Each structure stands twice: as structure tokens, then as C-alpha cells.
Amino acid sequence: MCGIIAYLGKKVAQPILIEALKRLEYRGYDSAGVALLGSGAIRIKKTSGRISALEKILDEPDAAETLGIGHTRWATHGKPSTINAHPHLDYTGKIAVVHNGIIENYGTLKTWLQNEGAAFASETDTEVIANLIGYFYAKGDSEEEQKKSDGQNKFEWSVQRALQEMHGTFGLAIVCSDFPDTIIGAKRGSPLILGVGDNEYILASDAAAIVEHTTQAIYLADNEMVTINPEGFHTKTIDNITISKELKQIEFSLEQIELGDFPHHMLKEIFEQPKALSTCMGGRIDSRNNRIKLGGIDSYLRELTRTKRLILIACGTAFHAGLVGEFLFEQLARIPAETEYASEFRYRNPIIEDGTVVISISQSGETIDTLAAVEEAKERGATVLGIVNVVGSSIARTTDTGIYLHAGPEIGVASTKAFTAQVAVLTMLAIELGRRRHIRSDQASKYIDELSQIPDKISQILNQSDHIKQIASANIDQDNWLFLGRGFNYPVALEGALKLKEISYIHAEGLPAAEMKHGPIALIVDGMPVVFIATAGPQYNKIMGNIAEVRARGGKTIVVATEGDENIKQHADHLITIPDVPEFLQPMLTVVPLQLLAYHAAVLRDHDVDKPRNLAKSVTVE
Ligand code: M6R
């Protein structure tokens, strides 16, 4: 979703803003723009389309412009167009704003401002912010308003006044032509981080745009604002209460977010999975004592061990990881568990009984539906645990306790290594709770040993990438695919279909294999690809029956099976194998060929894998 950047320092701002916007591209966007200050009036350049289109319309960088704001827009209110692109200038021409979020009462505010004489050029909610700040800024000239401003500068006061009227969410960077050395940032519901460098400041929606300059940062919380100028910065609430914020270390390096030798971030991240999982599990697996150590949740382990019911909440890929978790907690820990879409959970009047623990899963830690569901669960008295990748993100800060994935930054819009790391964390938690509740020590030791071998086994699957590319190529003209699995591999079937849809734009459905007969079997026509996860396990014979049903109707079977399964060969048009592991560990392996299949299909169809149409990496609006 929208990406915000602001720079204040001694360097020429324009190239810094453009580089930073490129780092934010992965969030998803349809237009981009910058506003620069230093030589008088605010100079705005913006356009619909990619950053490359913006670069084409930029003037030569002006050495006097050492301050500026920039934006990548993911359209919500108003179509993608140059006029709707940010930055937005207010009707007085003095205030420029970039915004991530949604102003829910923008309609009422817009009508009121229009009645007060403010002109609007765009269809966006953001222009209301610019105009309202501009309105208060103009009005603040009166003696009475000046008195109310309590000695603050007029710019800061106007921002506060405007934000107090806003309902909804915002991450903002704001400049004013009367204060050419000042940037104001403010946040409610959308992320905002201030990178603090050597005589320079970078305000951004996420750390990827900051690490090139500094790894020291402050994370703004909701209803907080920061005013930055060459002398330093100060933080306040939007109600004007001064607060002090701790400087934190950003935990990843520039190298981790660069492509290296890979053509796409998605492929890089698929191949990073062995390392990501080793890091995720390293230090947590205590093989000597047959235990899993999850330091972050130590003080909650007794409550978790005694819990009567687990509710897992998440969206998209993280939801599929949650579904795997449901199987894991029931089978290994014997704890009733259910997984819910975060967006449904929060509006469903959910029942939280004594002893219910909610687990929220999110790569970004910023997904607004998941964040809102966490708040809902807490309000209803649940203890909420977060399984999150991005350190210091909103969900990580809002949950009572949590386990970080430590999978490294995930830039590809299609989530891959985060999924396997989420499942790895859920597996560790389920084994540890199981060990505390009922699993014998020798059994736990066996599970832990098998889990620790997963990264190597993923490496073996990655060697089949070229073979999987051939399978994608043989089926690339097909526009409808099915993905079928049972038990632990049913969520993997859903995930395989989601991956194919989001980057290849091929219609795909994922289903528990037995459900096929209850309707979707009608879709099967000659040559339609049906991906089966038919690995060794209690449901193997049942899924063989489903394969026969598909073949009898002319469907083409792409089968993910266990190495050494000779029988399967005669039933598969295309075969991909995974090493033999117990069923509960299979999802971390069976998902890998499906990620590769989707990746190769998207490349073969000539799609921009890391910037799929209409999609955003972290969905920060409802
Ligand atoms: O950051 P989160 O894990 O909370 O994101 C949830 C979904 O938006 C995300 O998994 C999405 O479905 C991905 N594009 C899937 O690849």
C-alpha cells in the first residue's frame, strides 16, 4: 500500500527521495510523486504509473533543495491518475501532504471546507488533510487562535488541529512553504518510522527505505507526531503532550533487501527458505534437553499450556499458515484450535471464554484487519500472542507477547519464506506445548530432531526448480487450475492456488481433495491441470482415489509425492517429489514446489512477479 518518504539533511533531496521510493515499490502502487523545498515555493512533481515515469518528468536536482517528501500511491479514493497522485497541495499553496491510510469522515470535512471556500482538485481523501491543515494555518493568524496555540509554531498547531478532526487512519509527512526547514510526521493506524542519521533524517513507512542511510530509528505509535528540523526532532501526541521516544536499532541490512544474483525478490526468498528457517529455529531448538525454547513468551508458557482453546487469526498466506497451526495444535498438543480470517473475526461478535488464547499471525505486522482483530480480542479479555516477522511493527507492539519469525525482510509481494517460517514457529510452539501436556520425552526428541532437518530437506526440493519450470511451461496455456490436498496438506493446496492467482493471474482454486466431488469436479475438462499433494500419510489411499477421478475426466495431474513412491508414477502426468518426513512436517516441504510452480508460470506469462497488478505487500487499509 502507499509508501511515504521524507528527507531532511544536507544532501540534495531529490535523488534520495527517488531511491527511497524505489525501495518502497514492493509495497504496491499505481502512481508516485515528490515535493521539494529549499528555493522558495513548494515544487511538486507527480504522475500516474511507475517511478520510472516520475523520473522522466523530473527536473535536474536543485542543490538548494535539501528537504522533501515523496509518495507511492495505491489508489483507494479516486482512480490512479496524476491529479490523484500525492503530494497534495492545499488550496492556499502553502501546505503539501503525503498520506497512507483512509480518512473515513473525509466527505463531511470536504463539504464543510468547500463551504468555507477551499477548492479541491482531486477525488482523494488526502486532499482534505492538506486543505484542513491549510485552513487552520490561515485561520491561525487571528489573535485568538494564536493564543490557543500556546507558543507553538503555527504549522505544528495547524497539523494538530486538523488531525484532531480526522476519523480513520493516517501515516503522514507534511511540509509548509513558510517553514522550509521543517517536516512534520504523524501517525494513526498506518506505520511511520523516523530514521535518525548523522545530521539527516529519513521519515518512512518502512525500514526498507531507511537502512541505506541509518539503522537508528524511532517508531511512532498511534496519535503521535514528530517535528523535524536541522536542529533535531521532537515528538508529541497530536494533543500536544510532549513524549520521549527510544532510539531503536533496525534489525536488517541493505544486502538483505537487494536482489543479488536473483532476477526477482520472490525467487530469492524461495531460495532463502533453508537459511530463513535455520535462523528462525536456531537457538530455539534445545536438542540436548529435548525442548524448544521460545524466550519471548516464557512468562506466558504456563497460561498457554493450560489454555482451553486457541483461536488463530490472520489474512492471506498467514491465514493458511494458521490453518496448518490448527492441525498442529490439535494433533501435537491436543488443544482445540480454530483459524479465522481476521477481517471476519472482528465483525463477528466473537466469543472469548476464560482460558482462550488468540494467536495472530502476520509477516508485516501491519495488516490492518489483523491489527484490528488483535485489538478486538484484547478488549474481550483474551491474551494475544503475535507471530510476526517485522520487528517493532504495530502487531508486534500491540500483542501481549510474541515470537518473531527472524526470517529476514520479505520484499516479494507473494509471501513465501514468511509462510514456511510461520509454520516452523507454529510447529515449535505445538511441540513444546505437547511436550508439556502429554508427549513422552523420547517422542518429543524425535519430533525436534526431524524438525531440525527441515532446512536441508527444503534445499533438496529447490534443486528441482528447472524441472518445475518445465511443468509450468507444459501447462502455461491453461487458464483454470485446481489444487487439492488433505489433512495437513489441505492448507498447502489453498496456498498453492493463492500463489498462482496472485502473480500469474491464472484462475486457481484450492480445496480439500474430498470436496472436489461436491461441486468443483464439474469444472474438470480435458487438459485442465490439477495439482495434487499426495504424500505419504494416513490419507494417501483416499487421495489416490481423487487422482483417479480427475484422470477419468481428462484432467492433467501434477502430483507432489514422497520420494521412493514408485506406485504414484503411473498416476501422475507430472511428478515432483519431496523427502520423506512425518505428515505434520510436510507443509514446510510441499509448499515449496507450489511456490516455484507459481513463480515460473508468472515469469513464463511475462508478469512482473514482484509487482503483481492491484496487489500491495502489506494491506494497511480495510
Ligand atoms: O503481512 P501479513 O502476513 O499480515 O499479510 C497478510 C496477507 O496480506 C498476505 O499474506 C498476502 O495474502 C500475500 N500477498 C500472499 O502472498
Side-chain angles (χ1 to χ4, degrees), residues 439-610:
I439 300 176
R440 288 195 326 266
S441 167
D442 58 334
Q443 189 63 40
S445 151
K446 198 161 166 282
Y447 288 166
I448 290 171
D449 182 45
E450 278 159 339
L451 176 62
S452 63
Q453 293 174 37
I454 289 293
D456 285 345
K457 293 189 169 161
I458 293 180
S459 297
Q460 292 170 37
I461 300 169
L462 293 172
N463 292 334
Q464 295 178 70
S465 181
D466 287 343
H467 166 58
I468 294 168
K469 183 177 178 180
Q470 281 166 15
I471 300 174
S473 172
N475 294 281
I476 201 65
D477 295 331
Q478 296 292 328
D479 288 326
N480 289 296
W481 294 46
L482 275 184
F483 287 74
L484 304 175
R486 282 173 174 255
F488 278 92
N489 285 306
Y490 142 55
V492 177
L494 302 189
E495 176 61 6
L498 175 63
K499 287 284 92 81
L500 192 68
K501 276 185 275 204
E502 66 181 333
I503 54 168
S504 313
Y505 318 147
I506 293 172
H507 175 247
E509 277 197 52
L511 296 164
E515 276 299 301
M516 178 185 63
K517 287 197 290 294
H518 300 283
I521 197 166
L523 294 169
I524 295 171
V525 289
D526 222 24
M528 178 179 175
V530 183
V531 181
F532 279 98
I533 305 160
T535 40
Q539 306 215 48
Y540 178 78
N541 287 334
K542 299 273 181 225
I543 208 153
M544 290 305 291
N546 301 132
I547 292 177
E549 288 153 10
V550 166
R551 295 194 104 200
R553 288 160 182 83
K556 230 188 216 184
T557 53
I558 300 168
V559 183
V560 178
T562 305
E563 265 167 24
D565 179 354
E566 292 301 318
N567 166 57
I568 200 87
K569 289 184 178 158
Q570 56 186 309
H571 303 287
D573 294 300
H574 304 282
L575 183 64
I576 304 164
T577 56
I578 63 147
D580 193 10
V581 295
E583 198 199 12
F584 76 91
L585 293 174
Q586 286 176 6
M588 283 179 279
L589 303 187
T590 51
V591 76
V592 177
L594 307 193
Q595 296 168 343
L596 285 167
L597 195 61
Y599 171 77
H600 289 303
V603 173
L604 286 162
R605 285 196 168 208
D606 216 13
H607 295 318
D608 192 343
V609 174
D610 288 331

Side-chain angles (χ1 to χ4, degrees), residues 17 187 254 311 334 396 417 488 527 588 601:
L17 294 178
K187 168 191 150 56
L254 189 58
I311 303 176
R334 305 300 301 145
K417 64 176 179 175
F488 278 92
M588 283 179 279

Side-chain angles (χ1 to χ4, degrees), residues 256-483:
Q256 282 178 288
I257 55 170
E258 300 213 303
L259 274 174
D261 293 334
F262 286 91
H264 297 103
H265 285 288
M266 181 184 178
L267 190 65
K268 179 178 180 236
E269 287 155 11
I270 291 173
F271 275 79
E272 272 173 1
Q273 288 178 108
K275 186 163 173 259
L277 261 64
S278 298
T279 314
C280 170
M281 298 191 295
R284 286 167 167 167
I285 290 185
D286 176 3
S287 305
R288 268 190 35 205
N289 298 306
N290 300 332
R291 278 168 184 248
I292 307 270
K293 291 187 298 188
L294 297 165
I297 60 164
D298 259 356
S299 52
Y300 286 85
L301 266 169
R302 284 188 66 208
E303 183 178 347
L304 275 159
T305 307
R306 288 194 311 248
T307 184
K308 296 199 180 79
R309 177 173 166 238
L310 289 169
I311 303 176
L312 297 102
I313 49 173
C315 303
T317 288
F319 171 80
H320 299 151
L323 286 177
V324 177
E326 190 175 310
F327 282 90
L328 287 164
F329 288 120
E330 289 187 358
Q331 183 155 318
L332 300 180
R334 305 300 301 145
I335 299 172
E338 65 214 63
T339 308
E340 302 225 23
Y341 285 114
S343 53
E344 290 296 318
F345 174 84
R346 58 178 297 212
Y347 291 114
R348 216 174 39 80
N349 199 2
I351 298 166
I352 306 282
E353 294 154 319
D354 240 18
T356 300
V357 173
V358 169
I359 300 181
S360 65
I361 309 168
S362 173
Q363 188 287 129
S364 62
E366 300 295 346
T367 301
I368 197 84
D369 283 323
T370 311
L371 180 60
V374 166
E375 279 158 359
E376 180 72 31
K378 279 177 76 178
E379 208 171 291
R380 285 170 189 255
T383 296
V384 186
L385 181 150
I387 296 180
V388 172
N389 197 31
V390 178
V391 175
S393 55
S394 301
I395 294 173
R397 282 180 286 127
T398 309
T399 44
D400 296 301
T401 180
I403 307 168
Y404 279 121
L405 300 183
H406 295 311
E410 190 180 68
I411 304 294
V413 171
S415 186
T416 53
K417 64 176 179 175
F419 175 83
T420 41
Q422 284 156 354
V423 175
V425 165
L426 290 163
T427 310
M428 287 191 282
L429 184 58
I431 294 176
E432 182 56 19
L433 294 181
R435 187 192 68 76
R436 287 164 178 255
R437 286 164 66 97
H438 69 98
I439 300 176
R440 288 195 326 266
S441 167
D442 58 334
Q443 189 63 40
S445 151
K446 198 161 166 282
Y447 288 166
I448 290 171
D449 182 45
E450 278 159 339
L451 176 62
S452 63
Q453 293 174 37
I454 289 293
D456 285 345
K457 293 189 169 161
I458 293 180
S459 297
Q460 292 170 37
I461 300 169
L462 293 172
N463 292 334
Q464 295 178 70
S465 181
D466 287 343
H467 166 58
I468 294 168
K469 183 177 178 180
Q470 281 166 15
I471 300 174
S473 172
N475 294 281
I476 201 65
D477 295 331
Q478 296 292 328
D479 288 326
N480 289 296
W481 294 46
L482 275 184
F483 287 74

Side-chain angles (χ1 to χ4, degrees), residues 46 83-84 88-89 110 114 118-124 127 131:
K46 57 184 185 174
I83 203 90
N84 288 334
H88 285 284
L89 200 59
K110 186 170 179 170
Q114 281 169 327
F120 283 79
S122 78
E123 304 156 277
T124 64
E127 201 179 1
N131 273 344

